[in-house]
Amino acid sequence: MSAKSAEQEITHDVAVFKKYRNLLAELTRKNIKLKYRNSWLGIFWSFLQPLLNMIVLSVVFGGIFGKHSKYIVCYPVFLFTGRLLFDFFSTSTKQAMTSFRRNAAIIKKVYVPKYMYPVSSLLSTFVNFAISLLCLVCVWIFFKATGIQGGADLHITWYALLCVVPMFLILVFSTGVGLILSVLSVYFRDIEYIWDVLLRLLLYMVPILYPLQKITTPWVIYVIKINPLYSMIELFRQCVLYGYIMSWRMLLYAAVVSVLTLIAGIIIFNWKSDDLIYHL
């Protein structure tokens, strides 16, 4: 492909996106409304659910990893910061993966750029994730004010404002993964079950419930560190939990992997997007 034709294609894609951007916003709002339809508490579940998860996991694992650990500042907040980002990645990729099947009737009748469906699923999950941050703020204030579970050691600095960086990176990474999964799930329905199992394994392969320093096996530490989710969660904790500047090496690695994953997702999606309708 020549440089001129590539430029024309990019210009066309940008023009199409501008034309349908209002539809993307509407699909995002629809996904948020459908998630909490017929629910008494509605969107308040975005606040309540991570709080309940934190309480249960803190009770179960706090006695194992949270007590007398010099590597953890306030175990419940440590746990909360990790689960928030991991739950966003897990939920958003699942929603993107099933977006074509949920919207198959519309896709067959009305022309809409097909990436609108997985991307709107990702954005609606990101909105819920942003609301959950309010719960994190409340939890942080509670433990800081009471001093229990090591809350007295919590400190806030202006570096906390940089938490939007790992949040953006995990959004980019999840978008790339979500685009790939959305295509694979159309051709291979079993990918939904496989991905669910992989996410369960991934939960324990990322230091969410425990600090990395608890691991003593070198090859396991290496496997954990090459996982981009580890870098993103650790960057988020550095800003919010530890109160110091992000590691530039982790930031560079997470940024490169996120961008490459997004590019791979776009390439695979564009390659197969025209054939998807014949397999729905």
Side-chain angles (χ1 to χ4, degrees):
M1 182 182 294
S2 66
K4 184 177 181 180
S5 60
E7 182 180 354
Q8 291 175 343
E9 184 174 347
I10 293 174
T11 303
H12 175 264
D13 291 341
V14 172
V16 171
F17 178 80
K18 288 181 178 179
K19 180 180 178 180
Y20 289 96
R21 65 180 183 274
N22 291 333
L23 176 61
L24 177 62
E26 188 59 36
L27 287 172
T28 302
R29 283 194 292 267
K30 186 199 76 170
N31 290 334
I32 296 173
K33 292 177 180 178
L34 288 177
K35 180 178 176 64
Y36 300 107
R37 185 177 57 182
N38 300 326
S39 171
W40 287 2
L41 295 179
I43 204 168
F44 184 67
W45 277 112
S46 296
F47 185 95
L48 187 60
Q49 186 176 4
L51 178 62
L52 295 176
N53 286 335
M54 181 210 69
I55 294 173
V56 172
L57 292 174
S58 294
V59 171
V60 175
F61 295 103
I64 302 174
F65 302 115
K67 290 185 177 180
H68 311 297
S69 178
K70 63 180 180 179
Y71 305 111
I72 293 179
V73 178
C74 188
Y75 184 74
V77 181
F78 172 88
L79 178 63
F80 205 148
T81 51
R83 279 304 300 259
L84 270 183
L85 270 71
F86 182 84
D87 286 350
F88 165 71
F89 173 77
S90 173
T91 305
S92 62
T93 52
K94 285 182 179 180
Q95 290 295 312
M97 180 171 53
T98 59
S99 59
F100 288 129
R101 191 180 72 245
R102 296 196 312 269
N103 296 281
I106 301 176
I107 294 173
K108 293 177 181 179
K109 294 178 181 178
V110 182
Y111 170 77
V112 173
K114 295 181 181 63
Y115 62 80
M116 290 286 179
Y117 298 103
V119 171
S120 64
S121 297
L122 285 152
L123 291 179
S124 62
T125 308
F126 191 77
V127 171
N128 292 323
F129 168 55
I131 296 172
S132 299
L133 291 179
L134 297 175
C135 185
L136 173 61
V137 172
C138 294
V139 168
W140 192 99
I141 293 174
F142 171 79
F143 284 102
K144 178 63 178 177
T146 60
I148 61 176
Q149 294 285 324
D153 296 327
L154 291 171
H155 299 287
I156 193 71
T157 68
W158 71 271
Y159 292 125
L161 299 176
L162 297 177
C163 70
V164 296
V165 176
M167 288 172 59
F168 175 74
L169 290 178
I170 200 168
L171 174 61
V172 173
F173 180 67
S174 299
T175 302
V177 175
L179 289 174
I180 296 172
L181 290 174
S182 67
V183 172
L184 290 178
S185 66
V186 173
Y187 293 92
F188 310 102
R189 298 299 173 91
D190 290 345
I191 197 69
E192 296 180 28
Y193 306 104
I194 296 172
W195 185 243
D196 189 59
V197 173
L198 289 177
L199 285 174
R200 293 179 185 274
L201 294 175
L202 193 60
L203 174 63
Y204 298 101
M205 286 301 293
V206 180
I208 295 173
L209 305 175
Y210 57 88
L212 181 63
Q213 292 79 4
K214 290 283 187 179
I215 306 298
T216 57
T217 308
W219 71 267
V220 176
I221 295 176
Y222 177 77
V223 170
I224 291 174
K225 286 187 174 181
I226 63 174
N227 185 344
L229 284 179
Y230 163 72
S231 297
M232 296 170 195
I233 290 173
E234 190 63 22
L235 289 170
F236 187 77
R237 282 173 171 161
Q238 288 173 2
C239 299
V240 175
L241 184 60
Y242 304 126
Y244 53 74
I245 194 167
M246 294 182 292
S247 166
W248 68 268
R249 289 184 179 180
M250 280 189 179
L251 179 60
L252 179 61
Y253 176 71
V256 170
V257 173
S258 298
V259 172
L260 291 179
T261 303
L262 178 61
I263 292 173
I266 292 173
I267 292 174
I268 293 173
F269 191 88
N270 288 339
W271 176 37
K272 287 294 184 179
S273 61
D274 292 337
D275 298 330
L276 293 178
I277 193 170
Y278 301 112
H279 298 271
L280 287 175

